[in-house]
Amino acid sequence: MSEAINLPNIVEDRGEPNTRRAFLVAAGAAGLAYTAALAYPIYRYLASPAEMALSATAVTEVTLKDAHKLPAGSVLMFKFGTAPAMLIHHADGRWVAMTAVCTHLGCTVQYEPQADRIHCACHGGVYSAYTGANVSGPPPKPLKLFKVAVNDAGVEVSRA
Ligand code: FES
C-alpha cells in the first residue's frame, strides 16, 4: 500500500522567484549607478592634471594681439595652453617668453623688473630673466623658453 505524497507544485510557483530576481537585478543596477555617481567626480578630480598636461602639450603657438606695445622693462602674463607663461620685454629691447611654472613644485613664478630676475615666492627660487636658467634656490631645472616673433599685430609665441 503506497501513500501519495503531496509535493508543492514547483513548476507553477515561478512568479515569486522571478519577482525576487527582478528585484535583485534592479537593486544591483541602482547600486551600480550610485557607485558610478560617487566615483565620477573623484575620477575627474584625479584625471584633471593628466588632461591639463595633455592639453598644454597640444598647444604649440599663441598669438598675443597688441603685445608688441608692451613697454620695455615690463612683463605680460598669459596662458600657453592651460599653463601660465610670461612674455618679458627687457629694458635693452630683447623679448623673451618662457613658462611661468616653477620647476620645483609648480608655483607660478613672477618677473621682478627692478632686479631683472624671475622669482618664485613659494620657496625662494630664482631664475635668469633672459635664459630661464635656475640660478639659486631649490628649482632643479630651468624654465622652458619659447620662440618669440614680434610683428605689427602683436607677438607670436611658439614652442622652441
Ligand atoms: S615651488 Fe618654486 S621654489 Fe619651490
Side-chain angles (χ1 to χ4, degrees):
M1 170 169 145
S2 70
E3 195 174 303
I5 301 173
N6 193 9
L7 294 173
N9 190 346
I10 296 172
V11 175
E12 290 179 16
D13 202 17
R14 285 187 171 170
E16 188 176 331
N18 280 345
T19 303
R20 186 179 306 143
R21 181 176 298 143
F23 172 76
L24 291 175
V25 167
L32 209 58
Y34 182 72
T35 303
L38 288 178
Y40 184 71
I42 295 169
Y43 163 75
R44 290 289 303 161
Y45 175 75
L46 294 176
S48 60
E51 288 175 2
M52 284 175 60
L54 200 62
S55 70
T57 56
V59 174
T60 58
E61 186 175 308
V62 173
T63 300
L64 304 169
K65 282 188 178 180
D66 295 330
H68 65 293
K69 298 174 184 169
L70 188 67
S74 60
V75 64
L76 173 69
M77 299 297 291
F78 64 98
K79 291 273 189 180
F80 197 98
T82 56
M86 61 176 68
L87 173 68
I88 302 170
H89 188 190
H90 286 283
D92 64 6
R94 281 190 272 177
W95 292 85
V96 177
M98 62 186 81
T99 178
V101 179
C102 184
T103 59
H104 180 224
L105 293 178
C107 289
T108 300
V109 297
Q110 295 173 337
Y111 174 60
E112 294 180 341
Q114 67 281 4
D116 205 17
R117 68 178 192 169
I118 295 168
H119 181 249
C120 179
C122 288
H123 308 102
V126 177
Y127 299 90
S128 163
Y130 291 89
T131 64
N134 46 324
V135 176
S136 69
K141 294 187 295 187
L143 298 172
K144 284 195 175 152
L145 288 177
F146 297 121
K147 283 186 202 166
V148 177
V150 182
N151 56 46
D152 291 342
V155 177
E156 292 186 6
V157 179
S158 59
R159 291 197 184 281

